[in-house]
Amino acid sequence: MTAEEKRLEENRTRQAYWRRWGPYLSDRQWGTVREDYSQNGNAWDYFPHEHARSRAYRWGEDGIAGISDNHQRLCFAIALWNGVDPILKERLFGLAGPEGNHGEDVKEYYFYLDNSPSHAYMKYLYKYPQSAFPYTQLVQENQQRGYYEPEFELVDTGIFDNNQYFDVFVEYAKNSPEDILIQITVVNRSSEEKTLHLLPTLWFRNTWAWDKQSEKPSLQVMKPDLLACAIEAAHPTLGKRWLYCQNGGKLLFTENETNYQKLFGVSNKSDYVKDGINDYVVEGLETSINPQQIGTKAACYYSLNIGAGEEQVIRLRLSDLGKLTHPFLEFDTILQARKQEVNEFYQRISPSLLADCHNVQRQAFAGLLWTKQFYHYIIEDWLNGDPNQPTPQRHNARNQEWMHLFNDDILSMPDKWEFPWFAAWDLAFHVIPLATIDPDFAKRQMDRLTREWYMHPNGQIPAYEWHFSDVNPPVHAWGTWRVYQIERDIYDRADPDFLERVFQKLLLNFTWWVNRKDNDGNNVFQGGFLGLDNIGIFDRSAELPTGGYLEQSDGTSWMGMYCLNMLAIALELAKTNSTYEDIASKFFEHFLYIADAMNHIGETQIHLWDDEDKFFYDVLHSPHDERHHLKVRSMVGLVPIFAVEILEPDLLERFPGFKKRFEWFINNRPKLQENIASLTDEGKESKRLLAIVNPEKLKLILQRMLDEGEFLSEYGIRSVSKFHLENPYTFNVDGQQHQVSYEPAESTSGMFGGNSNWRGPIWFPMNYLIIESLQKFHNYLGDDFKVECPTGSGRWMNLAEVATELSQRLTRIFLRDSSNRRPVHSGNAIFQTHPDWQDLLLFYEYFHGDNGAGLGANHQTGWTGLVANLIRDSGEMK
């Protein structure tokens, strides 16, 4: 094992808690549902960015390049001031949801450069302008723009022209699980000397203001010596820690308490408040910091004069070792050792990649690890209020039906600024690349979602904090099964206990789906928007303007996939417990009924499959019991290919109980085999196919999917066919026209806040499932089954080759092309040509359907981090 793997093994066996400290601060705590105690539930207005520097948070903390312990008791991050900004740069700025022309939007440039699963080494880059940060301009310009215009970004202001900025690199290296070296390197990129005010900051999350029983921790100065000054941190449960700071800095102390006087015009409860250090540095207010040098928030203040093109380095050490005489004596040795060890670890994961592939993959993994966050949310306490605070007065409070929910964990976030809350279906994709580098953490994510303090007693999995009752695609069995397989294949160890534990809880969730989302009991499901936001002609999670409901092609297909995932897990568990053969038979039977329903709904002649178009559509079920297709050629019609599983020939012999039930259905339910993949035809090496889509329909679907005039882009599969560019789909209700067009970039619909677009762009999670499905079909059909790719090109490929082609189109988004440009950065010249920017990556939420440009949340490494696995499987080798 590499040194990093040994650390993970020590953590797994509880010999050393290497993960106790990590990058667990949020990038944005303000504007979240957790911090919203308003009457009307307007989280953005109740706790805006303008309040964040002066107001103590209730449920978590945010910061730049920050770390905390796993319960976020003690936090560390950097603060910066360029001498002209109106406030300290203590947190990342962005637009609130109503301010952006495409929803919430961070307006900073920061990059997750490196990280190891144990967080023994981490590296982060923040680019800080030397001119006044254009807060007002960013808000005003974006508010003036509409849905049809792109977002106005920080680089568009010209603030980075002529290199007028600082590069601030922050590195962490653990000497032990509780002894962390911190190196901050500031580079002046401009052509003249500049001053940067740097304030490494240590503080306690405020727990005492909400609970009378919570003992207040403290920070105080230790006597400085010639080599370092130090802050002693004492916490009732964490114990003592010391932050050693290289000499040259001045220690500033205040309290992590709300400045009520500034915000609300009433007396402060503390002499010193959260923004005291800000007021001291920016406004020169001497009385805003505590001269006794004690408090719950402290910073070491460095004023750095940095020459043109030069750099300065500041070193700190956050440690459980008190009274260190020479805290920086072996600093370089330890830091270099951790860098070397993380290089060795990633070399083991992907040993022979070309340099550019390696760079993309390394930053993708780093982004996944940096977007871990301490997520704390106790619904009962949030609804009822705290003993030291007024009782909340809310109208129609969110999430009242989730009183049991108690979140206090380190979770993988979609994006710690734009989406700093867990999202259930996102998480099932996060764990795929996470399992490649840290299967223990990946397993914990899947396990947590199904525990009783997350999952509703009725079996529903919580979606996300804005509405835990929203319905996401049921991909958690797939994520659990894939994590199990990845750990077994890469690390040569299997964890059936994990598999069984999650499987048992997923049985409850599966039952919830069957009982709650099948209106007529005909195995056709109505899941709602199912994570695809505005893909449909209507908001699929709201009451339809026509009345009635949708019978959803994707909802039904997801349930078919769910059945097959549960079947695969049950058969794996049956290897050691024969009881699971019966459960496997149950899911086999249920899958057959769902597959049949995809082609036959009750007694009607309207099926989800449209024989005229040779494609799957949603079916609108009117209040008058009429049905007709909503003919939007979208990802909804591709989801049916996800429901596919291969039965190996020895499997039926190994499980006689399952084989008996399998054969009984073949002999006694012949109608269930009509219009679905045949159970009797043997494929390559005598394998059997379980799939909603039979080979004939698969060819018809792929003919559309691989058509560059429809779904196939140079950079993957679009979410809506380009056919709708010239042929928008329209639907009239009571004189009002509803329309879906092909929109390759940002959304032109206000549905779901206008911050997501499923009407044309490329989404990594769905593409990844397409690739996996094609690989499975190839496993059954073999090399002789070929399709034209692209359609009309005369190039014929087997399905494994098609899967590889799609993988390479997706990875092409990030890799340099023949012109040395990265499609992800599109026309952004500074990223394409500047030597200090061109190798930096942002892993966006989705991508332009025609040119591959990154769109949406720009740090959504979670599911876009799947590119790391695609590179590992099909990347260019040395």
Side-chain angles (χ1 to χ4, degrees):
M1 289 192 289
T2 63
E4 175 63 14
E5 288 173 283
K6 290 177 183 177
R7 283 190 284 269
L8 294 176
E9 180 67 19
E10 289 175 354
N11 200 88
R12 180 185 306 110
T13 57
R14 301 188 177 183
Q15 299 175 59
Y17 295 97
W18 285 99
R19 289 204 202 89
R20 176 171 287 153
W21 293 86
Y24 306 145
L25 287 185
S26 177
D27 286 340
R28 175 176 62 82
Q29 185 69 14
W30 59 272
T32 60
V33 170
R34 282 156 288 155
E35 301 296 339
D36 178 18
Y37 285 77
S38 68
Q39 291 185 1
N40 59 10
N42 192 327
W44 294 109
D45 288 346
Y46 180 77
F47 205 134
H49 175 266
E50 187 64 22
H51 283 198
R53 66 181 179 278
S54 306
R55 186 170 167 183
Y57 296 124
R58 169 62 176 89
W59 295 100
E61 294 288 341
D62 55 20
I64 298 174
I67 62 171
S68 76
D69 66 277
N70 60 339
H71 292 287
Q72 205 163 92
R73 291 160 289 194
L74 183 61
C75 309
F76 172 89
I78 63 168
L80 306 162
W81 189 50
N82 55 16
V84 292
D85 278 355
I87 58 174
L88 274 184
K89 180 65 71 174
E90 295 181 270
R91 58 190 48 79
L92 300 165
F93 172 73
L95 305 181
E99 292 175 329
N101 60 324
H102 296 289
E104 61 267 33
D105 185 21
V106 68
K107 296 300 184 185
E108 307 266 16
Y109 287 107
Y110 56 103
F111 304 90
Y112 306 130
L113 296 183
D114 214 350
N115 210 321
S116 65
S118 70
H119 309 304
Y121 179 74
M122 300 185 282
K123 188 175 184 180
Y124 180 109
L125 168 62
Y126 174 67
K127 290 183 177 286
Y128 185 38
Q130 293 168 354
S131 300
F133 197 90
Y135 292 103
T136 302
Q137 183 186 7
L138 288 167
V139 174
Q140 291 180 347
E141 179 63 32
N142 280 283
Q143 285 183 330
Q144 292 170 6
R145 296 191 175 195
Y147 289 139
Y148 288 90
E149 296 173 281
E151 296 165 337
F152 181 71
E153 304 294 1
L154 180 59
V155 72
D156 298 328
T157 68
I159 204 166
F160 292 105
D161 293 352
N162 303 315
N163 294 326
Q164 297 292 309
Y165 67 94
F166 298 102
D167 269 341
V168 184
F169 295 91
V170 183
E171 295 174 274
Y172 297 93
K174 293 183 181 178
N175 184 43
S176 76
E178 303 288 342
D179 186 15
I180 307 167
L181 311 185
I182 306 166
Q183 179 165 288
I184 303 170
T185 305
V186 182
V187 184
N188 177 11
R189 296 297 185 190
S190 74
S191 58
E192 56 185 351
E193 181 180 275
K194 291 289 182 178
T195 299
L196 176 68
H197 303 264
L198 171 66
L199 296 100
T201 305
L202 189 70
W203 75 99
F204 288 109
R205 178 168 63 90
N206 188 327
T207 56
W208 57 91
W210 326 106
D211 183 1
K212 295 177 182 178
Q213 306 303 315
S214 179
E215 183 180 343
K216 187 175 180 179
S218 67
L219 301 172
Q220 63 182 6
V221 67
M222 282 182 62
K223 186 177 180 180
D225 60 28
L226 296 177
L227 298 175
C229 55
I231 301 168
E232 181 182 272
H235 190 279
T237 60
L238 186 63
K240 288 189 175 182
R241 297 293 187 279
W242 290 265
L243 179 66
Y244 298 95
C245 312
Q246 274 188 332
N247 252 342
K250 178 181 180 180
L251 296 182
L252 310 176
F253 288 79
T254 189
E255 299 287 349
N256 186 15
E257 299 268 14
T258 297
N259 188 338
Y260 289 94
Q261 179 64 47
K262 179 181 289 185
L263 295 177
F264 309 113
V266 298
S267 299
N268 284 326
K269 299 178 181 180
S270 171
D271 291 336
Y272 303 98
V273 289
K274 182 177 178 179
D275 53 12
I277 294 173
N278 175 90
D279 292 350
Y280 175 85
V281 174
V282 178
E283 299 177 15
L285 190 59
E286 296 279 347
T287 57
S288 67
I289 60 170
N290 191 340
Q292 295 181 349
Q293 295 191 303
I294 190 169
T296 50
K297 178 180 178 181
C300 191
Y301 179 20
Y302 299 92
S303 181
L304 307 177
N305 296 315
I306 311 174
E310 294 181 357
E311 68 178 46
Q312 289 193 29
V313 177
I314 297 296
R315 290 170 172 170
L316 307 101
R317 185 169 185 169
L318 180 60
S319 178
D320 63 343
L321 303 174
K323 299 180 181 179
L324 286 177
T325 307
H326 300 285
F328 307 111
L329 185 61
E330 297 180 335
F331 195 103
D332 280 340
T333 302
I334 297 167
L335 180 63
Q336 294 306 316
R338 295 299 170 266
K339 287 183 179 181
Q340 179 62 30
E341 289 162 3
V342 74
N343 288 338
E344 291 170 355
F345 174 75
Y346 284 114
Q347 183 67 18
R348 174 199 174 333
I349 297 297
S350 297
S352 301
L353 292 177
L354 290 176
D356 196 33
C357 290
H358 180 76
N359 175 49
V360 173
Q361 185 190 65
R362 186 78 165 259
Q363 289 189 57
F365 282 136
L368 280 159
L369 295 171
W370 270 101
T371 48
K372 292 182 183 182
Q373 181 182 309
F374 171 71
Y375 187 84
H376 189 35
Y377 193 19
I378 303 170
I379 293 290
E380 184 175 11
D381 292 351
W382 181 75
L383 288 171
N384 294 334
D386 296 299
N388 284 4
Q389 301 295 322
T391 301
Q393 302 297 318
R394 295 189 175 99
H395 303 305
N396 301 317
R398 298 181 191 275
N399 301 319
Q400 296 179 73
E401 66 274 29
W402 291 82
M403 286 289 284
H404 72 286
L405 189 136
F406 193 114
N407 296 157
D408 184 356
D409 281 302
I410 305 300
L411 298 175
S412 176
M413 299 293 113
D415 178 317
K416 287 204 298 188
W417 197 96
E418 298 207 19
F419 307 117
W421 26 260
F422 74 89
W425 88 293
D426 298 54
L427 202 50
F429 293 99
H430 298 191
V431 296
I432 305 306
L434 281 169
T436 304
I437 55 176
D438 190 356
D440 288 329
F441 182 74
K443 288 185 292 185
R444 186 177 177 87
Q445 302 300 288
M446 289 291 93
D447 184 60
R448 279 294 175 268
L449 284 180
T450 56
R451 297 307 292 263
E452 58 272 23
W453 52 91
Y454 281 73
M455 179 182 278
H456 197 281
N458 66 19
Q460 185 177 10
I461 290 174
Y464 46 85
E465 67 177 31
W466 288 90
H467 191 195
F468 282 124
S469 293
D470 262 349
V471 183
N472 285 169
V475 289
H476 303 91
W478 170 78
T480 299
W481 177 229
R482 292 296 289 118
V483 166
Y484 175 85
Q485 292 176 305
I486 291 168
E487 181 179 29
R488 182 191 61 195
D489 296 344
I490 295 180
Y491 296 94
D492 196 28
R493 60 175 186 261
D495 190 349
D497 291 342
F498 154 74
L499 197 62
E500 184 171 19
R501 185 170 60 250
V502 179
F503 180 82
Q504 293 289 349
K505 296 297 183 67
L506 289 175
L507 289 173
L508 301 176
N509 179 247
F510 186 89
T511 302
W512 176 86
W513 269 90
V514 171
N515 290 338
R516 299 295 183 95
K517 294 299 176 180
D518 180 4
N519 283 347
D520 296 332
N522 58 16
N523 294 300
V524 177
F525 291 83
Q526 305 85 30
F529 81 103
L530 284 174
L532 305 188
D533 295 4
N534 59 11
I535 199 166
I537 195 77
F538 309 121
D539 179 348
R540 301 194 303 170
S541 66
E543 184 176 340
L544 299 178
T546 60
Y549 57 87
L550 290 178
E551 288 161 333
Q552 292 180 225
S553 178
D554 55 335
T556 307
S557 302
W558 285 122
M559 285 302 290
M561 176 183 170
Y562 200 171
C563 281
L564 293 179
N565 297 148
M566 294 293 275
L567 168 63
I569 295 173
L571 289 174
E572 179 70 13
L573 295 173
K575 293 177 180 178
T576 54
N577 185 343
S578 60
T579 302
Y580 283 98
E581 283 191 58
D582 290 341
I583 299 176
S585 297
K586 178 257 187 269
F587 283 107
F588 167 68
E589 176 183 353
H590 206 132
F591 170 74
L592 292 184
Y593 286 116
I594 289 174
D596 178 64
M598 285 291 293
N599 299 282
H600 182 263
I601 304 172
E603 299 302 319
T604 179
Q605 295 303 306
I606 299 294
H607 307 158
L608 294 173
W609 174 260
D610 183 270
D611 265 328
E612 181 181 359
D613 287 1
K614 311 301 181 188
F615 202 67
F616 285 104
Y617 296 119
D618 284 346
V619 171
L620 179 63
H621 188 149
S622 76
H624 309 295
D625 205 31
E626 298 173 348
R627 292 180 170 95
H628 62 85
H629 286 125
L630 296 179
K631 294 193 174 186
V632 179
R633 295 184 194 171
S634 74
M635 187 65 71
V636 166
L638 302 180
V639 172
I641 70 174
F642 298 169
V644 55
E645 192 60 60
I646 309 302
L647 299 181
E648 299 292 337
D650 63 343
L651 184 141
L652 294 178
E653 301 306 319
R654 183 169 187 172
F655 301 117
F658 178 75
K659 178 183 179 183
K660 182 178 180 180
R661 191 67 175 159
F662 181 90
E663 291 177 341
W664 187 92
F665 265 90
I666 290 176
N667 296 326
N668 293 278
R669 293 287 188 267
K671 287 189 176 181
L672 288 179
Q673 298 181 48
E674 295 176 5
N675 299 316
I676 67 170
S678 174
L679 302 179
T680 56
D681 292 344
E682 295 183 355
K684 184 179 69 173
E685 299 171 355
S686 301
K687 297 173 183 179
R688 302 291 184 93
L689 174 68
L690 293 178
I692 282 177
V693 176
N694 63 30
E696 291 73 25
K697 280 184 179 172
L698 179 64
K699 279 191 174 181
L700 294 172
I701 292 171
L702 294 185
Q703 187 174 359
R704 283 204 189 282
M705 190 185 85
L706 299 177
D707 186 337
E708 291 180 314
E710 291 219 29
F711 287 97
L712 184 62
S713 162
E714 191 175 347
Y715 305 100
I717 300 300
R718 304 174 173 107
S719 49
V720 164
S721 170
K722 198 171 183 178
F723 167 81
H724 290 304
L725 178 64
E726 301 294 336
N727 304 276
Y729 180 77
T730 59
F731 192 90
N732 293 297
V733 180
D734 297 330
Q736 183 176 357
Q737 187 179 82
H738 300 261
Q739 180 171 290
V740 171
S741 300
Y742 171 68
E743 299 173 2
E746 296 284 17
S747 175
T748 62
S749 165
M751 205 182 297
F752 291 87
N755 64 344
S756 182
N757 189 8
W758 285 88
R759 297 186 173 184
I762 294 153
W763 293 77
F764 261 75
M766 305 298 277
N767 273 259
Y768 193 83
L769 288 175
I770 289 171
I771 289 166
E772 276 204 351
S773 300
L774 293 176
Q775 291 168 338
K776 286 184 178 181
F777 275 111
H778 175 261
N779 191 20
Y780 170 78
L781 295 167
D783 291 342
D784 293 337
F785 185 94
K786 295 187 177 183
V787 294
E788 201 174 15
C789 180
T791 300
S793 68
R795 294 174 58 205
W796 293 85
M797 299 182 184
N798 64 47
L799 297 186
E801 292 169 334
V802 174
T804 298
E805 173 71 17
L806 293 180
S807 293
Q808 291 174 345
R809 289 185 182 225
L810 288 162
T811 58
R812 190 182 298 160
I813 290 172
F814 296 99
L815 297 171
R816 291 178 179 171
D817 61 19
S818 58
S819 301
N820 212 32
R821 300 172 68 85
R822 302 183 192 276
V824 63
H825 296 318
S826 187
N828 196 327
I830 195 169
F831 273 99
Q832 297 290 15
T833 61
H834 196 291
D836 296 319
W837 293 71
Q838 62 184 3
D839 287 329
L840 301 174
L841 279 305
L842 292 171
F843 296 89
Y844 289 84
E845 186 179 3
Y846 47 93
F847 301 86
H848 195 290
D850 296 334
N851 62 34
L855 300 165
N858 57 24
H859 285 77
Q860 194 156 345
T861 318
W863 62 21
T864 301
L866 290 163
V867 69
N869 282 45
L870 294 178
I871 287 175
R872 186 176 186 271
D873 295 339
S874 62
E876 297 180 58
M877 302 298 175
K878 291 180 181 177

